[in-house]
Amino acid sequence: MTLDPEDEKILTLARSARARNGTAEGAAVRDETGRTYVATDVNLPSLRLTAVQVAVATAVSSGAQGLEAAALVSDAEEPAQEDLAAVEDLGNAILFHAGLDGSLKGRYV
């Protein structure tokens, strides 16, 4: 599956964030204006959020009204339902899911 350069960019950003922080997941979202938000999962005793949830929350808290695309990098076979729901909350964006090596596992709408 060939991705356009902007979708490749958010996958690269998600992968880089995960590697840089040494976390299980990395995510990036692109809002309706083209701004990009990058995040990793949060795993604290009092707070657990997926990387996609953090990226979506960051976009919303920065004023995003919708998403064009989202990317998740993880070793999971598929995105969690809460990841799909968070992306869906902001419209019909595509969620690209890639493995830790960057290979695309799936595309979800």
Side-chain angles (χ1 to χ4, degrees), residues 49-91:
L49 297 169
T50 69
V52 171
Q53 288 174 321
V54 176
V56 169
T58 302
V60 170
S61 70
S62 297
Q65 300 294 309
L67 297 180
E68 290 181 350
L72 168 65
V73 173
S74 74
D75 64 357
E77 288 302 312
E78 57 188 36
Q81 287 302 315
E82 56 262 40
D83 291 339
L84 297 171
V87 172
E88 188 176 299
D89 284 345
L90 289 181

Side-chain angles (χ1 to χ4, degrees), residues 20-74:
R20 180 179 57 250
N21 291 349
T23 57
E25 299 178 340
V29 299
R30 186 175 61 248
D31 72 11
E32 76 282 1
T33 66
R35 291 178 295 182
T36 303
Y37 306 89
V38 180
T40 60
D41 55 303
V42 173
N43 193 3
L44 300 172
S46 64
L47 180 65
R48 295 187 191 283
L49 297 169
T50 69
V52 171
Q53 288 174 321
V54 176
V56 169
T58 302
V60 170
S61 70
S62 297
Q65 300 294 309
L67 297 180
E68 290 181 350
L72 168 65
V73 173
S74 74

